[in-house]
Every structure is written in C-alpha cells, then in structure tokens.
Amino acid sequence: MPIAWGIGLVTGLLVAAFAIVIYKKSRKGKCEYDERQVAARGRAFAGGFVTFVFSELVVFIIEIFTGEPLVIGVPGTLSIIICLLSTLVFLEVSIFSDAYFSPGKPMRKSWWVIMTLLGISFIIKFFLDNDFWFQLINLAAGCFIVIVMLSILVKQLISRKADKEENDE
C-alpha cells in the first residue's frame, strides 16, 4: 500500500469522524428505540460478534495448518473483509427485525438512492482498477452497500405487503 494512500485514508477517516461529531452535536432529536427494537439490536450485535469470532478462528486455524499467514492482496485486506461480513450480519438481523430505523425517523429515499449509487460505483471501480487488493476492497465494499440497500428495500416491500393484508382483514 503506498504511503500517500495510507495518509489519504487516515485523513478521510479523521474528516468523517469530525463530521459525525458535528452532526451528532447539532441534532436536536435523538434516535429512540422501543424495548423490542433494543432486544433485536442485542441479538443483531451477538450475531455480528459470533460471525467475527468464527471468521477469525477459521483464519487462525488455516494459518496454523499451512504454517504461513493468510494474506489476500496485502496484509489487512482479509481483516477488512471479515469486518464487513460481521457488520453485514448485524445489519441484516437489525433490518429484518425492524430494529434498524427508529419509529420516528424512517429511511429517506434520497439516502437510499445515494447509497445504492455509491455501492454501484464501488463495484464499477472493481472492474476499472489494476491493483488486485484495491479491486478486492472495492468489490467487498460495493457488494456490502448494495446488499444492505437491497435488504432495506425487500424489508420495506414485505412490511408494506403485511400492512396491506392487515388492513384488508
């Protein structure tokens, strides 16, 4: 990984953290989850944690049996993929348990469109880049975002259908 890329990554993460702090300080309403959602988020955190631990143990066992580190592209790429996988498990359980959005703040359609386009742009970048590890990270991030956005869409369609059937009865 080039030094310039690492400096850019750290700078980007610091800017994002600063923006999040400012956003949280300026927000008037806080996301409030009901008891059922808090319990569902607890199950989602547990699922993500178990996925993370299991994935790391699999990598550890593979490294023990092969006698060498398991590296895909550059060191750290596999760790990022495992983190994305664990986060995906957390998000999927949260989304399908109605614990991802708070009742007072539903998802905005503009946010869904922007995130979907971002995911698609990462996948396109996978095909355009020449560096294998960068391709892999772009593909993993793009698939992660697209899967989450599709899950939100599917959950909304399921909820809409259930509400319609409930109203028809």
Side-chain angles (χ1 to χ4, degrees):
M1 172 175 23
I3 295 294
W5 191 91
I7 292 171
L9 175 68
V10 170
T11 304
L13 290 174
L14 289 174
V15 168
F18 184 69
I20 289 170
V21 167
I22 290 174
Y23 175 73
K24 287 193 181 249
K25 295 270 186 198
S26 68
R27 266 188 16 184
K28 293 180 172 77
K30 186 180 176 190
C31 283
E32 298 286 334
Y33 295 103
D34 59 24
E35 296 84 17
R36 180 193 56 78
Q37 287 179 310
V38 170
R41 287 174 62 86
R43 287 189 304 275
F45 279 120
F49 178 74
V50 167
T51 303
F52 179 78
V53 170
F54 181 76
S55 299
E56 287 294 338
L57 283 174
V58 167
V59 170
F60 177 71
I61 290 169
I62 290 171
E63 288 176 346
I64 285 176
F65 284 116
T66 62
E68 57 189 43
L70 185 59
V71 177
I72 299 175
V74 297
T77 304
L78 187 59
S79 297
I80 295 295
I81 291 171
I82 289 172
C83 288
L84 285 173
L85 179 66
S86 303
T87 305
L88 184 64
V89 169
F90 163 74
L91 290 173
E92 293 297 314
V93 172
S94 294
I95 289 168
F96 286 100
S97 300
D98 287 325
Y100 189 61
F101 296 105
S102 64
K105 294 196 177 229
M107 182 195 69
R108 294 190 314 254
K109 290 178 183 173
S110 60
W111 179 81
W112 188 89
V113 169
I114 290 170
M115 290 304 292
T116 303
L117 290 175
L118 178 67
I120 292 169
S121 69
F122 277 131
I123 293 171
I124 291 171
K125 186 74 174 161
F126 163 76
F127 293 107
L128 299 178
D129 208 311
N130 294 330
D131 206 1
F132 175 70
W133 73 272
F134 199 60
Q135 284 179 321
L136 196 59
I137 292 294
N138 278 316
L139 181 64
C143 288
F144 171 81
I145 293 171
V146 169
I147 289 170
V148 170
M149 294 300 108
L150 287 175
S151 297
I152 291 171
L153 180 65
V154 166
K155 176 58 181 163
Q156 285 185 339
L157 293 173
I158 290 170
S159 296
R160 195 173 296 152
K161 183 179 178 185
D163 289 344
K164 184 178 177 185
E165 288 175 357
E166 189 175 291
N167 288 338
D168 288 344
E169 292 177 0

